[in-house]
């Protein structure tokens, strides 16, 4: 499975490391490039799933935007 991990901190490193141990192909996007660009990256790498580490993208509505584009992502919506 191709998995995009958003974030560049220790939490995201641990998530990516563990997923890689399970045999998944990991893509990481550190920093804060903007939600629209991240969704395009997920589409470009054909990620099967996106995992969000930092809270800021979640607060900014990344899950809502991903789902509107038909992309799979783990995390709460802005309202939840």
């Amino acid at each position: 499975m191709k998995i995009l991990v958003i974030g560049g901190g220790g939490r995201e490193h641990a998530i990516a490391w563990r997923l890689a141990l399970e045999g998944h192909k990991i893509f990481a996007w550190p920093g804060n490039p903007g939600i629209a660009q991240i969704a395009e990256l997920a589409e470009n790498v054909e990620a099967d799933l996106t995992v969000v580490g930092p809270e800021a993208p979640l607060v900014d509505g990344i899950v809502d935007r991903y789902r509107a584009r038909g992309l799979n992502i783990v995390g709460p919506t802005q309202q939840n």
Side-chain angles (χ1 to χ4, degrees):
M1 178 180 283
K2 293 181 187 176
I3 301 176
L4 174 63
V5 177
I6 298 174
R11 177 188 320 169
E12 295 79 25
H13 176 81
I15 291 169
W17 172 77
R18 185 61 198 172
L19 291 170
L21 284 179
E22 296 295 324
H24 300 292
K25 185 169 184 172
I26 306 301
F27 298 87
W29 189 263
N32 186 12
I35 293 169
Q37 291 173 332
I38 297 170
E40 289 173 12
L41 174 64
E43 289 174 338
N44 289 338
V45 300
E46 298 178 351
D48 299 306
L49 178 67
T50 298
V51 177
V52 183
E55 291 83 6
L58 296 170
V59 171
D60 290 340
I62 192 168
V63 172
D64 299 306
R65 294 176 191 209
Y66 260 58
R67 289 183 181 164
R69 292 175 87 153
L71 299 169
N72 294 317
I73 189 167
V74 175
T77 64
Q78 273 187 309
Q79 295 179 346
N80 296 325

